[in-house]
Short mmCIF file of all heavy atoms in Angstrom, two decimals:
data_model
loop_
_atom_site.label_atom_id
_atom_site.label_comp_id
_atom_site.label_asym_id
_atom_site.label_seq_id
_atom_site.Cartn_x
_atom_site.Cartn_y
_atom_site.Cartn_z
N VAL M 131 -19.83 6.51 -15.24
CA VAL M 131 -20.97 7.42 -15.20
C VAL M 131 -22.24 6.64 -14.82
O VAL M 131 -23.04 7.08 -14.00
CB VAL M 131 -21.13 8.13 -16.57
CG1 VAL M 131 -22.46 8.86 -16.65
CG2 VAL M 131 -19.97 9.08 -16.79
N LEU M 132 -22.39 5.45 -15.39
CA LEU M 132 -23.59 4.66 -15.09
C LEU M 132 -23.64 4.27 -13.62
O LEU M 132 -24.66 4.42 -12.95
CB LEU M 132 -23.63 3.39 -15.96
CG LEU M 132 -23.94 3.60 -17.44
CD1 LEU M 132 -23.82 2.29 -18.21
CD2 LEU M 132 -25.35 4.19 -17.62
N LEU M 133 -22.52 3.78 -13.11
CA LEU M 133 -22.53 3.37 -11.71
C LEU M 133 -22.72 4.58 -10.79
O LEU M 133 -23.43 4.49 -9.78
CB LEU M 133 -21.25 2.60 -11.35
CG LEU M 133 -21.22 2.07 -9.92
CD1 LEU M 133 -22.30 1.00 -9.69
CD2 LEU M 133 -19.86 1.49 -9.54
N ALA M 134 -22.11 5.69 -11.16
CA ALA M 134 -22.26 6.91 -10.35
C ALA M 134 -23.74 7.31 -10.30
O ALA M 134 -24.27 7.62 -9.21
CB ALA M 134 -21.42 8.03 -10.93
N SER M 135 -24.42 7.26 -11.45
CA SER M 135 -25.85 7.60 -11.46
C SER M 135 -26.63 6.64 -10.58
O SER M 135 -27.53 7.04 -9.83
CB SER M 135 -26.44 7.49 -12.87
OG SER M 135 -25.72 8.26 -13.74
N ALA M 136 -26.27 5.38 -10.68
CA ALA M 136 -26.98 4.36 -9.89
C ALA M 136 -26.79 4.62 -8.40
O ALA M 136 -27.74 4.51 -7.62
CB ALA M 136 -26.47 2.98 -10.27
N LEU M 137 -25.57 4.97 -8.02
CA LEU M 137 -25.32 5.25 -6.60
C LEU M 137 -26.20 6.41 -6.13
O LEU M 137 -26.77 6.37 -5.04
CB LEU M 137 -23.84 5.58 -6.37
CG LEU M 137 -22.85 4.42 -6.51
CD1 LEU M 137 -21.41 4.94 -6.46
CD2 LEU M 137 -23.06 3.38 -5.40
N LYS M 138 -26.29 7.40 -6.98
CA LYS M 138 -27.12 8.57 -6.63
C LYS M 138 -28.57 8.16 -6.47
O LYS M 138 -29.24 8.54 -5.51
CB LYS M 138 -27.03 9.62 -7.74
CG LYS M 138 -26.03 10.70 -7.46
CD LYS M 138 -26.21 11.75 -8.54
CE LYS M 138 -25.58 13.05 -8.19
NZ LYS M 138 -25.57 13.93 -9.36
N GLN M 139 -29.04 7.33 -7.45
CA GLN M 139 -30.44 6.88 -7.37
C GLN M 139 -30.69 6.09 -6.11
O GLN M 139 -31.80 6.05 -5.60
CB GLN M 139 -30.79 6.01 -8.59
CG GLN M 139 -31.20 6.84 -9.79
CD GLN M 139 -31.53 5.98 -11.00
OE1 GLN M 139 -31.95 4.86 -10.90
NE2 GLN M 139 -31.34 6.51 -12.16
N LEU M 140 -29.66 5.43 -5.62
CA LEU M 140 -29.82 4.64 -4.39
C LEU M 140 -29.70 5.53 -3.14
O LEU M 140 -29.68 5.03 -2.02
CB LEU M 140 -28.78 3.53 -4.34
CG LEU M 140 -29.04 2.38 -5.32
CD1 LEU M 140 -27.83 1.45 -5.38
CD2 LEU M 140 -30.28 1.59 -4.91
N GLY M 141 -29.54 6.80 -3.36
CA GLY M 141 -29.54 7.72 -2.22
C GLY M 141 -28.16 8.06 -1.66
O GLY M 141 -28.06 8.65 -0.59
N ILE M 142 -27.13 7.65 -2.36
CA ILE M 142 -25.78 7.99 -1.87
C ILE M 142 -25.49 9.45 -2.26
O ILE M 142 -25.62 9.83 -3.42
CB ILE M 142 -24.70 7.06 -2.47
CG1 ILE M 142 -25.01 5.60 -2.14
CG2 ILE M 142 -23.31 7.44 -1.97
CD1 ILE M 142 -25.04 5.25 -0.67
N GLU M 143 -25.08 10.21 -1.26
CA GLU M 143 -24.86 11.64 -1.50
C GLU M 143 -23.41 12.00 -1.27
O GLU M 143 -22.64 11.23 -0.67
CB GLU M 143 -25.73 12.45 -0.53
CG GLU M 143 -27.21 12.26 -0.81
CD GLU M 143 -28.09 12.95 0.22
OE1 GLU M 143 -27.55 13.54 1.19
OE2 GLU M 143 -29.31 12.89 0.03
N LYS M 144 -23.08 13.19 -1.72
CA LYS M 144 -21.73 13.74 -1.51
C LYS M 144 -21.33 13.59 -0.04
O LYS M 144 -22.11 13.96 0.85
CB LYS M 144 -21.78 15.22 -1.90
CG LYS M 144 -20.51 15.97 -1.68
CD LYS M 144 -20.70 17.41 -2.15
CE LYS M 144 -19.55 18.26 -1.66
NZ LYS M 144 -19.76 19.69 -1.95
N GLY M 145 -20.17 13.08 0.22
CA GLY M 145 -19.69 12.94 1.60
C GLY M 145 -20.03 11.60 2.24
O GLY M 145 -19.43 11.20 3.23
N ASP M 146 -21.01 10.86 1.69
CA ASP M 146 -21.34 9.54 2.24
C ASP M 146 -20.19 8.57 1.99
O ASP M 146 -19.50 8.68 0.98
CB ASP M 146 -22.59 8.97 1.56
CG ASP M 146 -23.87 9.64 2.04
OD1 ASP M 146 -23.82 10.33 3.07
OD2 ASP M 146 -24.91 9.47 1.36
N ARG M 147 -20.05 7.59 2.88
CA ARG M 147 -19.00 6.59 2.69
C ARG M 147 -19.56 5.33 2.04
O ARG M 147 -20.67 4.90 2.35
CB ARG M 147 -18.33 6.21 4.01
CG ARG M 147 -17.20 7.14 4.39
CD ARG M 147 -17.68 8.45 4.97
NE ARG M 147 -18.48 8.24 6.16
CZ ARG M 147 -19.45 9.03 6.56
NH1 ARG M 147 -19.79 10.11 5.87
NH2 ARG M 147 -20.13 8.77 7.66
N VAL M 148 -18.74 4.78 1.13
CA VAL M 148 -19.11 3.55 0.43
C VAL M 148 -17.94 2.58 0.59
O VAL M 148 -16.79 2.93 0.30
CB VAL M 148 -19.34 3.84 -1.07
CG1 VAL M 148 -19.53 2.55 -1.86
CG2 VAL M 148 -20.54 4.77 -1.27
N ALA M 149 -18.23 1.37 1.10
CA ALA M 149 -17.15 0.38 1.22
C ALA M 149 -17.07 -0.42 -0.07
O ALA M 149 -18.09 -0.72 -0.71
CB ALA M 149 -17.44 -0.55 2.40
N ILE M 150 -15.84 -0.75 -0.48
CA ILE M 150 -15.65 -1.54 -1.70
C ILE M 150 -14.85 -2.78 -1.29
O ILE M 150 -13.75 -2.67 -0.75
CB ILE M 150 -14.89 -0.71 -2.77
CG1 ILE M 150 -15.69 0.54 -3.14
CG2 ILE M 150 -14.59 -1.57 -3.99
CD1 ILE M 150 -14.99 1.49 -4.12
N TYR M 151 -15.45 -3.94 -1.51
CA TYR M 151 -14.80 -5.20 -1.11
C TYR M 151 -14.77 -6.07 -2.35
O TYR M 151 -15.70 -6.83 -2.63
CB TYR M 151 -15.62 -5.83 0.01
CG TYR M 151 -15.00 -7.04 0.66
CD1 TYR M 151 -13.85 -6.93 1.45
CD2 TYR M 151 -15.57 -8.31 0.52
CE1 TYR M 151 -13.28 -8.04 2.06
CE2 TYR M 151 -15.00 -9.43 1.13
CZ TYR M 151 -13.86 -9.28 1.89
OH TYR M 151 -13.30 -10.38 2.50
N MET M 152 -13.72 -5.89 -3.14
CA MET M 152 -13.66 -6.56 -4.45
C MET M 152 -12.28 -7.12 -4.71
O MET M 152 -11.33 -6.85 -3.97
CB MET M 152 -14.02 -5.55 -5.56
CG MET M 152 -15.42 -4.97 -5.42
SD MET M 152 -15.82 -3.77 -6.70
CE MET M 152 -16.32 -4.84 -8.05
#
Side-chain angles (χ1 to χ4, degrees):
V131 169
L132 288 175
L133 183 65
S135 305
L137 289 172
K138 263 188 163 169
Q139 276 179 28
L140 288 169
I142 302 299
E143 294 175 358
K144 177 178 167 187
D146 285 346
R147 274 78 59 210
V148 172
I150 299 176
Y151 187 69
M152 299 179 83

